């Protein structure tokens, strides 16, 4: 006999009652389904209640993804779908539905109008006592009811439960016992899970689906079903029809027994059950990643693979060594690079980084992540983020992990393989590669085979396509090595289709800021070391604002293959040294550029980047506070009215909040004044703020260019504006990876001009003539400020063209031009530009020379590397007068005027410096 106080405490019935009414029929129509306790037996209720309370103490699950949303007045019956039967899973789901106010799981569902009476709202696809030929009885009954009653609405909510998130490894019995992997959980393992991994448990509710929709699609021949089951048809074709052996818990009541389904519905239910199982398998794989071999076995598999055996034989023949010696070298290369994934290290990083981000940042803002989640189950994910800081490695992996997807393997430079930090990174996310291995065929083969192994095992991968961290805040030109290896792997063997995820990472303060400025000025790059790590740790107490991650529009490799007519599986599967043809190589180049453009499309216009753009465009980097607010509001309005891209995010802070935020971060300061406070860049912060301005420069560059054309000329015809823009746009496009195609540039410019007109920054006089506003107006001053950012790019172009014209065709190589422009930029910056590093960023000059060569303004001798050109170089320089002031053009011409002795001296000194730097590296 159960004491009354126990009954009162534990046996409170969870029943959703129908509204009171005098008409029984009306009650049924208004609320056809009701819920009742899981079992009417008091002892069963007590068991469930006590189990729930004990589990609630031992297990603290973390919710992954978004909660399903339901209409409050919806009369749809909800059932949760779990893959494996488990009492602890049942109770855990019930606790979660209570916590998040979802339809209850362990509560009976009764709908007399549709002849439904179930003792729980959970469907188990697999049960250890089920026979192979049997289907889930509850699912069978629901399908039969939906077929019988056209007005019945049933939704299925697939649910994933992970007791730990360690992929299976071959070398750890403890992990096999405690962490969720690909083996079905036994009772012993569930007890281990609860006791050991209860605080490391994860639950994800997947998007709900309408059961009738799936049935209708199946009956009409669309066996792929609703959106949630997309791409599963191919999987079903390869599956065996006898694997549908899932049923839920049995009971003595007849309707809960293991029963056979009517033959007429069996095939329909089998397809549904199999699709649900495949879907949950894929979700599980996207969260856990593929099964792992231990590091030693993986190294051996690499070295003895047919592709590497061939590479070893080739290496031995070419170098005159034995096969054994060449194999030993290859094994050494594999040991250098192969990751040693360790789930305990992942958990340590999880706790450490959670603490670190709270110390460093006010928040981590993530945009458009749902795109990645939708693709993770059916695609090989390649993350290609921008590279701003060493923090990028950990930040992106942390965000992905916290949102329930498998952590990508990160290609990291071997400069990070330092004591303490290196082994930790290797055990978490990193595989290390050399910064340069040109000419080392065996190393290249081992790296290609390792990449191919990861890709064919459906391991998500991350690499920084820029090759290194940007020192200026702009994106660097893409390095095609890792991208080419990814494509090469897909052409050898296709498993899952590859999709690239361009990812924008933006900071509001950056740890390496001071170091970057020094390196741009010519200081040697500091090598990574334990001492450097400790020095960086001293900055943890500083305020770094928010950090932003924005996932851009995915780029599907198959679409590029169709565009360039590249055939899948066109390379031998057992070779790494087969070159790609010209079409595939051109495709790789195009993908690289598209990735950079899509990273910029996903940019986040932060408060700090807006402040930087506004203040660095003002004389002496200062404005009165009211003008500063107005200029910020103007830039926000321009960016929001005509968005750079649908993926671009603009801060919703008010201008005053932005100013106060910049003061909090100690990037700007307010100077009190009786006539109105002044906002200016804080001491020695101008160079650093230029970094954050450059993060978003591409968003405003065409507006700035058009403003400069109108501002410098007073009046200009639209047709003249278009012709000048057409001439200079390719160089801006190359530098800032603008995505506007050249063939539709005129339409883009028209929209930009209309945006400027709507804000009163320019005036239309008629006869296709554009003019500046009244010279004493607020809009005139705003136009002049908006015209400033493009000036520095055009000044660099003109200085480079002036140097080429002054030295003449056929006298300088590409490297000599870049080196000289770098020196001239440093000199110009110190003398005239407040030491802003944009003038002496070597990458910008390299990009400009490359654009001139690609557009055939420059021709490069294949043997000597000497550049030749014709009159068209002078024609490009001629257009600068429409944007640059006469005084600035004179300054640039004077700076670029070097006699033969100065040229010889400069080139000699640069060459000696490079030799000393190379000697230190060796």
């Amino acid at each position: 006999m159960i004491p009354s106080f126990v009954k009162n405490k534990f046996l409170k019935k969870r029943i959703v009652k129908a509204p009171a009414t005098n008409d029984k029929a009306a009650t049924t129509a208004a609320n056809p389904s009701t819920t009742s306790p899981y079992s009417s037996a008091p002892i069963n209720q007590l068991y469930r209640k006590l189990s729930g309370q004990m589990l609630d103490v031992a297990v603290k699950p973390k919710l992954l993804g978004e909660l399903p949303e339901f209409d409050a007045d919806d009369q749809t019956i909800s059932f949760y779908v779990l893959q494996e039967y488990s009492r602890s899973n049942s109770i855990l789901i019930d606790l979660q539905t209570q916590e998040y106010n979802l339809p209850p799981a362990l509560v009976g569902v009764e709908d007399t109008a549709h002849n439904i009476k179930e003792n729980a709202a959970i469907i188990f696809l697999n049960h250890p006592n089920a026979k192979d030929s049997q289907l889930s009885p509850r699912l069978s009954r629901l399908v039969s009811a939906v077929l019988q009653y056209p007005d019945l609405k049933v939704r299925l909510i697939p649910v994933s439960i992970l007791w730990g998130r360690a992929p299976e490894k071959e070398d750890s019995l403890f992990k096999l016992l405690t962490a969720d992997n690909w083996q079905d959980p036994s009772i012993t393992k569930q007890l281990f899970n609860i006791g050991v991994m209860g605080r490391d448990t994860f639950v994800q509710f997947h998007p709900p689906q309408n059961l009738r929709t799936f049935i209708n699609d199946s009956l009409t021949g669309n066996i792929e079903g609703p959106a949630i089951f997309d791409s599963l048809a191919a999987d079903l074709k390869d599956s065996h029809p006898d694997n549908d052996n899932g049923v839920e818990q049995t009971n003595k009541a007849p309707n809960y027994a293991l029963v056979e389904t009517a033959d007429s519905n069996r095939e329909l239910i089998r397809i549904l059950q199999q699709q649900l199982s495949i879907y949950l398998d894929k979700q599980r794989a996207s969260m856990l990643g593929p099964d792992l071999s231990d590091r030693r076995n993986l190294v051996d598999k690499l070295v003895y693979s047919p592709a590497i055996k061939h590479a070893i034989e080739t290496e031995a023949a070419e170098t005159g060594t034995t096969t054994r010696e060449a194999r030993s070298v290859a094994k050494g290369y594999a040991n250098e690079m192969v990751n040693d994934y360790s789930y305990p290290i992942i958990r340590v990083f999880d706790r450490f980084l959670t603490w670190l981000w709270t110390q460093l940042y006010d928040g981590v803002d993530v945009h458009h992540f749902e795109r990645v989640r939708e693709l993770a189950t059916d695609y090989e994910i390649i993350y290609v983020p921008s590279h701003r800081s060493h923090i990028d490695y950990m930040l992106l992996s942390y965000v992905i992990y916290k949102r329930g997807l498998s952590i990508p393997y990160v290609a990291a430079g071997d400069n990070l393989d330092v004591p303490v930090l290196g082994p930790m990174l290797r055990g978490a996310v990193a595989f290390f590669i050399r910064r340069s291995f040109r000419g080392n065929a065996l190393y290249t083969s081992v790296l290609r085979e390792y990449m191919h192994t990861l890709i064919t095992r459906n391991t998500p991968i991350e690499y920084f396509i820029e090759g290194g961290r940007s020192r200026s805040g702009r994106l660097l030109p893409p390095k095609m090595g890792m991208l080419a290896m990814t494509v090469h792997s897909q052409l050898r063997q296709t498993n899952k289709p590859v999709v690239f995820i361009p990812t924008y990472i933006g900071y509001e303060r950056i740890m390496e800021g001071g170091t970057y400025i020094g390196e741009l000025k010519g200081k040697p790059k500091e090598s990574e070391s334990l001492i450097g790590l400790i020095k960086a740790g001293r900055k943890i107490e500083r305020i770094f604002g928010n950090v932003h991650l924005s996932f851009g529009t995915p780029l599907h490799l198959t679409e590029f293959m169709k565009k360039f007519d590249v055939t899948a599986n066109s390379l031998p599967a057992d070779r790494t040294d087969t070159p790609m043809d010209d079409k595939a190589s051109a495709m790789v180049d195009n993908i690289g550029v598209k990735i950079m453009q899509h990273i910029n499309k996903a940019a986040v216009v932060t408060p700090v980047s807006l402040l930087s753009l506004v203040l660095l465009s003002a004389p002496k980097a200062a404005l009165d506070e009211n003008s500063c607010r107005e200029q910020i509001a103007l830039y926000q309005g321009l960016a929001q009215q005509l968005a750079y891209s649908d993926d671009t995010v603009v801060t919703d802070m008010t201008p005053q909040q932005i100013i106060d935020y910049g003061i909090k971060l100690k990037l700007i300061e307010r100077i009190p004044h009786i006539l109105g406070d002044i906002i200016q860049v804080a001491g020695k912060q101008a160079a650093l703020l230029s970094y954050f301005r450059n993060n978003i420069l591409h968003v405003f560059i065409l507006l700035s260019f058009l403003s400069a054309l109108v501002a410098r000329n007073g009046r200009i015809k639209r047709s003249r504006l278009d012709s000048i823009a057409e001439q200079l746009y390719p160089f801006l496009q190359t530098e800032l990876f603008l995505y506007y195609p050249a063939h539709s540039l005129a339409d883009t410019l028209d929209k930009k001009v209309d945006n400027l007109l709507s804000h009163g920054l320019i005036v239309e006089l008629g006869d296709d003539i554009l003019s500046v506003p009244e010279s004493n107006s607020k809009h005139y001053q705003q136009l002049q400020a908006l015209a400033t950012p493009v000036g520095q790019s055009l000044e660099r172009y003109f200085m480079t063209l002036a140097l080429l014209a002054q030295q003449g065709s056929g006298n300088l190589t590409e490297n000599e031009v870049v080196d000289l422009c770098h020196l001239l930029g440093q000199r110009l910056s110190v003398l005239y530009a407040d030491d802003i590093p944009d003038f002496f960023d070597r990458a910008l000059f390299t990009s400009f020379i490359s654009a001139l060569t690609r557009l055939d303004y420059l021709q490069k001798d294949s043997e000597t590397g000497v550049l030749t050109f014709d009159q068209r170089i002078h024609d490009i320089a001629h257009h600068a007068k429409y944007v640059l002031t006469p005084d600035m053009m004179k300054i640039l011409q004077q700076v670029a005027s070097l006699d033969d002795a100065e040229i010889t001296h400069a080139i000699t000194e640069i060459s000696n410096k490079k030799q000393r730097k190379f000697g230190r590296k060796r």
Side-chain angles (χ1 to χ4, degrees):
M1 184 174 184
I2 302 174
S4 60
F5 74 91
V6 175
K7 290 183 179 180
N8 293 336
K9 183 174 182 179
F10 295 114
L11 305 186
K12 294 178 180 178
K13 295 184 178 181
R14 293 159 58 197
I15 302 176
V16 179
K17 296 183 178 180
T21 176
N22 295 327
D23 191 327
K24 184 176 180 179
T27 302
T28 302
N31 188 24
S33 63
T34 61
T35 59
S36 60
Y38 180 75
S39 173
S40 58
I43 191 64
N44 288 344
Q45 292 185 51
L46 177 60
Y47 165 76
R48 182 182 60 81
K49 196 75 174 182
L50 288 173
S51 299
Q53 292 193 353
M54 289 188 293
L55 196 69
D56 194 32
V57 172
V59 178
K60 299 297 180 185
K62 303 175 183 67
L63 184 69
L64 300 176
E66 303 295 330
L67 286 170
E69 297 182 358
F70 305 122
D71 189 342
D73 299 325
D74 193 358
Q75 294 297 312
T76 305
I77 303 173
S78 298
F79 285 85
Y80 301 95
V81 181
L82 278 72
Q83 195 162 28
E84 305 295 340
Y85 168 75
S86 163
R87 291 181 178 87
S88 57
N89 285 349
S90 304
I91 297 172
L92 181 59
I93 289 299
D94 190 50
L95 293 173
Q96 291 289 282
T97 57
Q98 293 179 56
E99 180 177 351
Y100 295 110
N101 197 29
L102 297 173
L106 286 184
V107 172
V109 178
E110 184 173 349
D111 183 351
T112 56
H114 300 108
N115 198 27
I116 291 178
K117 186 177 182 181
E118 301 293 339
N119 65 357
I122 300 178
I123 297 172
F124 294 109
L125 298 179
N126 297 307
H127 190 283
N129 296 329
K131 297 180 180 179
D132 289 347
S133 61
Q134 293 174 320
L135 303 174
S136 168
R138 183 163 292 146
L139 183 60
S140 302
R141 291 191 294 272
L142 291 175
V143 170
S144 298
V146 168
L147 291 173
Q148 184 176 356
Y149 301 102
D151 61 328
L152 175 60
K153 299 178 181 178
V154 177
R155 73 166 61 92
L156 303 181
I157 307 169
V159 183
S160 295
I161 300 177
L162 302 179
W163 299 86
R165 287 174 62 184
E168 181 178 342
K169 295 189 75 172
E170 300 170 0
D171 61 347
S172 176
L173 175 61
F174 180 74
K175 291 173 190 174
L176 291 176
L177 287 173
T178 59
D180 213 334
N181 53 41
W182 292 106
Q183 296 177 353
D184 297 339
S186 64
I187 294 177
T188 302
K189 185 178 176 185
Q190 279 294 304
L191 292 176
F192 264 89
N193 286 341
I194 295 171
V196 179
M197 306 301 289
R199 304 291 169 141
D200 196 34
T201 302
F202 302 85
V203 176
Q204 183 170 3
F205 294 90
H206 302 294
Q209 294 297 318
N210 187 293
L211 178 57
R212 185 176 301 280
T213 301
F214 171 75
I215 291 174
N216 291 339
D217 288 339
S218 299
L219 294 176
T220 56
N222 177 19
I223 93 165
E224 294 187 22
I228 193 171
F229 304 120
D230 283 353
S231 81
L232 294 181
D235 297 305
L236 283 173
K237 292 176 183 177
D238 298 330
S239 300
H240 297 290
D242 295 329
N243 289 341
D244 50 336
N245 60 339
V247 295
E248 62 265 36
Q249 183 183 9
T250 62
N251 195 295
K252 292 182 179 180
N255 64 327
Y256 300 115
L258 297 173
V259 296
E260 295 287 346
T261 307
D263 291 340
S264 59
N265 296 339
R266 177 178 296 278
E267 184 65 14
L268 178 65
I269 299 165
R270 186 192 67 80
I271 292 174
L272 173 58
Q273 184 166 317
Q274 199 164 16
Q275 285 192 337
L276 284 167
S277 183
I278 292 172
Y279 173 75
L280 287 171
D281 275 343
K282 289 188 173 184
Q283 295 297 328
R284 188 183 185 89
S286 72
M287 292 185 278
L288 292 179
D291 295 351
L292 300 176
S293 299
D294 67 273
R295 187 169 185 270
R296 177 178 56 81
N297 286 344
L298 182 55
V299 168
D300 288 342
K301 289 176 182 177
L302 279 176
V303 173
Y304 287 97
S305 66
I308 299 304
K309 287 175 69 176
H310 177 270
I312 289 171
E313 293 169 358
T314 303
E315 177 77 6
E318 292 180 352
T319 60
T321 60
T322 65
T323 302
R324 171 178 249 173
E325 290 172 334
R327 183 180 297 110
S328 178
V329 173
K331 190 169 185 178
Y333 292 155
N335 277 311
E336 282 183 28
M337 63 183 69
V338 171
N339 175 282
D340 189 18
Y341 187 101
S342 170
Y343 187 57
I345 290 180
I346 294 293
R347 295 186 67 186
V348 169
F349 267 110
D350 179 21
R351 288 166 172 78
F352 169 70
L353 294 178
T354 299
W355 169 82
L356 180 64
W357 303 147
T358 59
Q359 298 298 310
L360 287 178
Y361 304 113
D362 294 332
V364 178
D365 296 333
V366 181
H367 308 276
H368 312 309
F369 186 78
E370 66 281 356
R371 294 170 168 168
V372 185
R373 192 185 304 283
E374 291 170 358
L375 296 170
T377 58
D378 298 310
Y379 291 86
E380 166 63 18
I381 301 290
I382 308 292
Y383 298 93
V384 276
S386 58
H387 200 7
R388 314 288 195 196
S389 167
H390 280 317
I391 295 292
D392 300 342
Y393 296 96
M394 297 178 286
L395 181 65
L396 181 56
S397 296
Y398 177 83
V399 166
I400 294 168
Y401 179 80
K402 281 298 190 182
R403 278 157 179 76
L405 296 184
S406 177
I407 298 177
Y409 282 24
V410 183
D414 62 354
N415 57 313
L416 290 178
D417 193 9
V418 297
V420 181
L421 179 62
M424 290 289 288
L425 290 177
R426 189 188 295 274
V429 297
F431 64 95
F432 293 108
I433 61 175
R434 297 181 180 182
R435 305 287 289 178
S436 176
F437 47 89
R438 185 184 298 273
N440 189 336
L442 184 57
Y443 185 93
T444 301
S445 294
V446 174
L447 179 55
R448 279 183 175 175
E449 186 64 16
Y450 182 50
M451 282 285 292
H452 183 62
T453 300
L454 294 178
I455 291 172
T456 53
R457 289 169 61 85
N458 304 323
T459 306
I461 298 173
E462 171 192 337
Y463 48 76
F464 298 96
I465 193 170
E466 296 169 271
R469 292 166 292 155
S470 170
R471 268 63 174 177
S472 68
R474 293 174 171 86
L475 292 179
L476 299 175
K479 307 292 186 184
M480 302 302 182
M482 296 297 290
L483 180 59
M485 289 186 185
T486 304
V487 173
H488 193 277
S489 173
Q490 278 283 285
L491 297 184
R492 288 175 59 190
Q493 177 181 345
T494 301
N495 193 358
K496 285 186 177 181
V498 165
V499 62
F500 299 98
I501 309 294
T503 307
Y504 176 90
I505 303 178
Y507 299 90
E508 294 176 343
R509 289 201 67 168
I510 195 164
M511 280 189 176
E512 303 97 326
T515 303
Y516 287 173
I517 304 303
E519 290 177 14
L520 285 173
K521 291 180 178 180
K523 292 182 180 179
K525 178 181 179 295
E526 295 182 6
S527 299
E528 285 71 14
S529 65
L530 181 59
I531 294 177
L533 181 64
I534 295 173
K535 287 181 179 179
R538 296 169 59 187
K539 301 180 181 180
I540 288 179
E541 296 301 324
R542 300 185 187 178
I543 301 173
F544 286 84
N546 283 15
V547 60
H548 303 266
L549 274 78
S550 182
F551 294 87
T553 301
L555 296 172
H556 295 265
L557 179 56
T558 52
E559 295 180 3
F560 286 93
M561 293 173 67
K562 291 178 182 177
K563 176 181 176 182
F564 285 85
D565 192 24
V566 175
T567 306
N569 301 323
S570 56
L571 298 179
D574 59 350
R575 295 282 292 272
T576 62
D577 57 351
T578 308
M580 294 186 291
D581 60 22
D582 292 342
K583 291 188 295 184
S585 298
M587 179 183 72
V588 170
D589 292 338
N590 186 251
I591 294 173
V593 173
K594 292 299 182 182
I595 287 173
M596 308 310 289
Q597 292 176 351
H598 277 66
I599 291 175
N600 267 348
K601 289 171 71 174
V604 180
V605 181
T606 68
V608 169
S609 58
L610 266 182
L611 268 177
S612 304
L613 186 64
V614 167
L615 290 176
L616 293 181
S617 299
K620 297 187 177 181
L623 286 170
D624 71 81
E625 187 161 358
N626 186 56
S627 297
C628 187
R629 282 195 298 267
E630 291 177 345
Q631 199 73 9
I632 292 172
L634 171 67
Y635 286 13
Q636 282 181 298
L638 289 169
Q640 290 168 347
Q641 179 173 318
L642 183 61
Y644 179 76
S645 165
D646 292 339
D647 292 346
T648 306
V649 179
V650 181
T651 177
D652 58 0
M653 280 189 180
T654 67
Q656 188 61 56
Q657 289 173 332
I658 290 174
I659 292 173
D660 294 339
Y661 189 63
I663 294 172
K664 172 189 171 184
L665 296 181
K666 300 180 181 179
L667 295 171
I668 62 173
E669 55 191 8
R670 180 184 284 113
I671 307 299
H673 194 276
I674 193 171
L675 297 179
D677 293 351
I678 296 173
I679 303 299
Q680 69 176 18
V681 174
K684 298 182 179 180
Q685 294 294 323
L688 183 59
L689 286 183
S690 71
Y691 183 96
F692 302 113
R693 176 201 60 191
N694 291 341
N695 288 173
I696 62 164
L697 189 58
H698 62 282
V699 175
F700 296 93
I701 196 67
L702 283 187
L703 292 170
S704 179
F705 180 59
L706 296 173
S707 298
L709 282 172
V710 178
R712 300 292 181 263
N713 295 277
R715 296 183 179 184
I716 188 171
K717 291 183 70 69
R718 279 204 184 208
S719 57
R720 184 59 178 157
L721 182 149
D722 288 346
S723 65
I724 297 173
E726 182 181 355
Q727 186 81 23
L728 297 179
Y729 174 73
F731 307 112
L732 293 172
Q733 182 184 36
T734 300
E735 176 184 333
L736 296 172
F737 295 100
L738 305 179
Y739 75 93
Y740 307 114
H743 62 81
S744 61
L745 180 62
D747 293 336
T748 300
L749 295 177
D750 284 342
K751 294 176 182 178
K752 300 290 184 183
V753 168
D754 292 341
N755 197 9
L756 295 173
L757 287 168
S758 67
H759 285 84
L761 297 176
I762 59 177
V763 180
E764 195 162 25
L765 299 180
D767 294 329
D768 206 29
I769 295 176
L770 302 173
S771 173
V772 297
E774 294 292 334
S775 58
N776 60 349
S777 67
K778 176 183 69 176
H779 287 146
Y780 181 82
Q781 299 301 322
Q782 291 178 329
L783 177 68
Q784 295 293 333
L786 183 56
T788 301
V790 74
Q792 292 178 351
S793 294
L794 297 178
E795 288 162 11
R796 271 186 281 102
Y797 301 163
F798 184 79
M799 184 179 70
T800 305
L801 296 172
L803 174 68
L804 287 169
Q806 192 259 343
Q807 296 302 315
S809 175
N811 291 319
L812 295 175
T813 66
E814 178 180 353
N815 289 335
E816 288 171 347
V817 172
V818 171
D819 289 337
L820 289 171
C821 287
H822 182 240
L823 286 179
L824 296 175
Q826 288 178 327
R827 185 175 182 84
L828 180 68
S829 178
V830 174
L831 293 175
Y832 302 105
D834 297 326
D835 213 18
I836 298 298
D838 289 53
F839 283 102
F840 46 84
D841 183 358
R842 186 185 302 273
L844 298 179
F845 294 110
T846 301
S847 173
F848 182 55
I849 295 299
S850 297
L852 288 171
T853 304
R854 176 171 52 84
L855 297 170
D856 200 36
Y857 289 105
L858 294 176
Q859 295 79 42
K860 182 178 178 180
D861 187 276
S862 58
E863 296 182 1
T864 64
V866 171
L867 299 176
T868 57
F869 51 88
D870 54 28
Q871 181 62 33
R872 291 177 299 159
I873 287 290
H874 301 279
D875 295 338
I876 301 174
H878 175 74
H879 286 91
K881 72 177 184 179
Y882 293 101
V883 184
L884 303 179
T885 64
D887 289 342
M888 178 53 68
M889 293 180 68
K890 289 181 181 178
I891 290 172
L892 294 171
Q893 285 176 327
Q894 291 172 359
V895 169
S897 297
L898 300 174
D899 58 32
D900 292 342
E902 290 173 320
I903 290 284
T904 302
H905 174 70
I907 292 176
T908 301
E909 287 298 313
I910 292 170
S911 177
N912 292 337
K913 184 176 179 180
K914 287 182 177 179
Q915 290 179 359
R916 289 194 298 270
K917 181 177 180 181
F918 179 72
R920 285 197 302 270
K921 285 186 176 181
R922 294 186 64 184

